[in-house]
Amino acid sequence: MALGRGKHESADERWLEVDASMTGTLTFKDPVNLQINGQFEGTLQTKGNLLVGPKARVNATITGDTITIGGTLEGTVSATARIELQASARVTGKISTPRLTVHEGAILHGSVEMVAQTTPGSRGWMSLEELASYLEVESGTVIEWAKTGRLPAQQDNGTWRFDRARIEEWLAHEKIK
């Protein structure tokens, strides 16, 4: 990994550029500006800005705030703010976001789910990935809790959804125990 002073960087903004080939799970609990230029396979949970560079090859489940894709990506991408597909983007999979920009030349093969923008304290529905990130647990743990009824959840066409208000009530109740 290299901390770069790329073309994005202003005096107040720093980008963490990953030029390596990586496999695994990356989780950023604090906002970061992350750029992937190499290969990545696995799970990526980030806050802040994520840029998948034009030469990057990614096969992953990604959750984040603002995600810009310029390279090749296969998997599931969920953003709380927006997703942008640059002209060089080649995406295969599922996109979930409140705002989507697709530039001329980008290729998207898969599905798009437009969701309400969720910000801290907002109401609405959360995806599995959003809730796992919010609770700081693995997605598998959330599914297990949902299946056993420990966590308020709803399954819609095989996709888990979570009502933010009910989750916040559940959290308050769990903390009392």
Side-chain angles (χ1 to χ4, degrees):
M1 281 191 265
L3 181 59
R5 293 188 62 87
K7 60 187 173 213
H8 323 278
E9 189 174 12
S10 68
D12 299 335
E13 188 177 334
R14 296 196 187 269
W15 283 80
L16 176 63
E17 294 187 31
V18 180
D19 296 315
S21 178
M22 297 178 62
T23 301
T25 299
L26 286 176
T27 303
F28 294 88
K29 295 183 181 185
D30 293 320
V32 64
N33 294 317
L34 176 65
Q35 179 173 339
I36 298 174
N37 296 321
Q39 294 184 5
F40 179 78
E41 185 171 336
T43 302
L44 174 59
Q45 295 178 346
T46 185
K47 294 181 183 190
N49 298 305
L50 171 64
L51 171 60
V52 176
K55 295 184 180 183
R57 299 187 61 80
V58 175
N59 184 348
T61 298
I62 299 174
T63 57
D65 296 330
T66 300
I67 301 170
T68 302
I69 302 169
T72 302
L73 186 141
E74 184 173 332
T76 302
V77 184
S78 178
T80 58
R82 72 178 182 88
I83 294 176
E84 177 181 351
L85 303 183
Q86 296 177 333
S88 56
R90 304 294 178 257
V91 178
T92 303
K94 180 181 176 185
I95 289 178
S96 177
T97 183
R99 293 178 38 216
L100 176 64
T101 302
V102 180
H103 293 271
E104 185 175 345
I107 296 175
L108 171 60
H109 186 258
S111 64
V112 175
E113 179 183 16
M114 301 301 290
V115 297
Q117 188 163 0
T118 55
T119 56
S122 71
R123 297 291 182 230
W125 292 96
M126 299 173 79
S127 69
L128 172 63
E129 293 82 10
E130 290 169 332
L131 183 58
S133 178
Y134 181 68
L135 296 176
E136 298 181 356
V137 299
E138 296 292 324
S139 296
T141 302
V142 173
I143 292 171
E144 180 182 320
W145 291 347
K147 284 182 177 178
T148 61
R150 179 172 174 210
L151 179 74
Q154 198 173 6
Q155 201 167 21
D156 184 25
N157 292 330
T159 301
W160 288 102
R161 297 180 354 138
F162 306 89
D163 182 295
R164 183 177 292 274
R166 291 188 62 209
I167 292 298
E168 289 174 1
E169 289 172 15
W170 176 79
L171 280 171
H173 178 72
E174 287 294 308
K175 287 181 180 176
I176 294 171
K177 287 183 176 180

